[in-house]
Amino acid sequence: MTTKKQAVFSRLVNELVQKNQGKRIFSFDFENQTYWVKQPEKLTGVWKILKPHPKQSFREELHILKNLYERGAPVPQVILSGEDFFVLKDVGPTLNHWIENAGLNLTPAEKNQILVDAIKALTSLHKKGVTHGRPAIRDIAWRQGKVTFMDFESHSRSLNLQWHKIRDVLVFIHSLCCSKHLSGEQIQYLINKYEEYCESDLWQDVLNLVAKFRFLYYILLVFKPVARMDLIAIYRLFQYLLPLTEENK
């Protein structure tokens, strides 16, 4: 942007922030480009206990996004930031939009390709020594083959990089298992693709962890008839990964 346009843009953002106080995230258009404004969460009730430092989490996410963008990671560019907001350029619909929106008329093969693009991007991120914290399909965008990771509020402060990579892998696969719009055959295909692109030692550590907690699978079987989707997704994750632990012995 030119200096003049930047000034107009800044004034517009400040006006919108004032009008949308308390709104965690909202979008607006400027010169045929969509932008998203994010603000600290306004928490109530039990969430004040579960998330006691929303402004600190907000500042940490802003720092992480700027740092990762400078390192060439596939994250949105921070266009403007202030004490209680930052502005991101729109990077396209999220994976769950592409997978779950029947109006798009995507074939299973096309959905698979979008998700394989995400797998390649996440494994590439890990190979650079970077983790996301919660790479569920609702927190990853895709547009014309380009994958962008969003929402780094769950990024951990721990220095155990390998553990956070394991967590990322399992969170991503769990989010696939949560989807009612992916068949069992598709999920197995995508897990096989993850194994193909993943660092071999990381994949083995993922399988070792799944094998260690295999007893949960048998406990979950008891509750399967009354389980909600998150619990069913954990059951499905074990169902697809446990056979791989036997193959890798």
Side-chain angles (χ1 to χ4, degrees):
M1 292 185 196
T2 63
T3 304
K4 185 176 181 180
K5 284 184 180 179
Q6 182 68 44
V8 173
F9 183 82
S10 297
R11 283 198 299 271
L12 174 61
V13 170
N14 284 316
E15 289 172 8
L16 291 171
V17 167
Q18 291 301 315
K19 290 179 182 177
N20 290 276
Q21 288 292 319
K23 215 171 188 180
R24 182 168 176 257
I25 189 164
F26 63 89
S27 65
F28 69 96
D29 291 333
F30 181 79
E31 295 194 339
N32 300 315
Q33 170 66 52
T34 300
Y35 298 88
W36 292 87
V37 178
K38 192 166 186 179
Q39 304 181 89
E41 287 186 277
K42 300 290 184 181
L43 302 173
T44 58
V46 70
W47 290 106
K48 287 187 176 181
I49 300 172
L50 296 175
K51 295 183 175 182
H53 306 294
K55 285 195 174 184
Q56 181 180 334
S57 297
F58 173 83
R59 287 192 292 269
E60 287 177 355
E61 183 183 13
L62 175 59
H63 173 75
I64 289 166
L65 283 171
K66 287 182 174 180
N67 179 262
L68 292 180
Y69 186 81
E70 289 173 2
R71 293 168 62 182
V75 298
Q77 181 183 6
V78 177
I79 304 299
L80 183 69
S81 63
E83 183 66 26
D84 291 309
F85 74 88
F86 60 78
V87 182
L88 303 174
K89 187 178 288 189
D90 181 72
V91 290
T94 57
L95 298 183
N96 59 327
H97 171 83
W98 291 107
I99 303 310
E100 298 171 7
N101 191 333
L104 297 174
N105 295 316
L106 295 180
T107 66
E110 288 171 326
K111 292 180 180 181
N112 286 350
Q113 185 55 58
I114 290 170
L115 291 167
V116 168
D117 287 344
I119 288 168
K120 289 179 180 178
L122 184 55
T123 54
S124 177
L125 200 69
H126 286 168
K127 289 170 185 175
K128 293 177 181 178
V130 178
T131 60
H132 182 278
R134 192 187 63 193
I137 59 175
R138 66 179 179 273
D139 295 315
I140 304 172
W142 183 94
R143 177 184 281 157
Q144 296 179 340
K146 183 178 180 181
V147 174
T148 308
F149 294 94
M150 306 180 295
D151 203 342
F152 281 79
E153 286 188 52
S154 295
H155 196 84
S156 174
R157 301 177 187 86
S158 170
L159 298 178
N160 190 336
L161 179 61
Q162 189 73 352
W163 162 246
H164 292 135
K165 289 182 181 182
I166 293 169
R167 176 181 162 182
D168 273 4
V169 175
L170 292 174
V171 167
F172 181 81
I173 294 174
H174 176 265
S175 71
L176 296 179
C177 293
C178 278
S179 177
K180 297 178 181 178
H181 301 269
L182 294 172
S183 67
E185 183 180 352
Q186 284 178 284
I187 293 173
Q188 191 65 69
Y189 169 81
L190 293 165
I191 288 173
N192 292 342
K193 281 294 181 182
Y194 208 116
E195 180 179 12
E196 178 182 338
Y197 292 109
C198 188
E199 298 163 285
S200 58
D201 63 325
L202 172 58
W203 187 250
Q204 188 58 56
D205 285 345
V206 169
L207 295 182
N208 289 344
L209 186 66
V210 169
K212 180 179 178 180
F213 288 96
R214 67 186 307 139
F215 68 90
L216 288 176
Y217 173 73
Y218 300 104
I219 294 173
L220 291 174
L221 280 176
V222 178
F223 298 99
K224 187 181 178 184
V226 294
R228 293 180 180 271
M229 180 48 70
D230 276 349
L231 198 58
I232 291 173
I234 295 173
Y235 165 82
R236 295 177 79 188
L237 182 148
F238 276 108
Q239 185 181 27
Y240 295 120
L241 290 180
L242 276 176
L244 299 180
T245 68
E246 297 297 326
E247 292 175 14
N248 283 267
K249 279 186 176 179

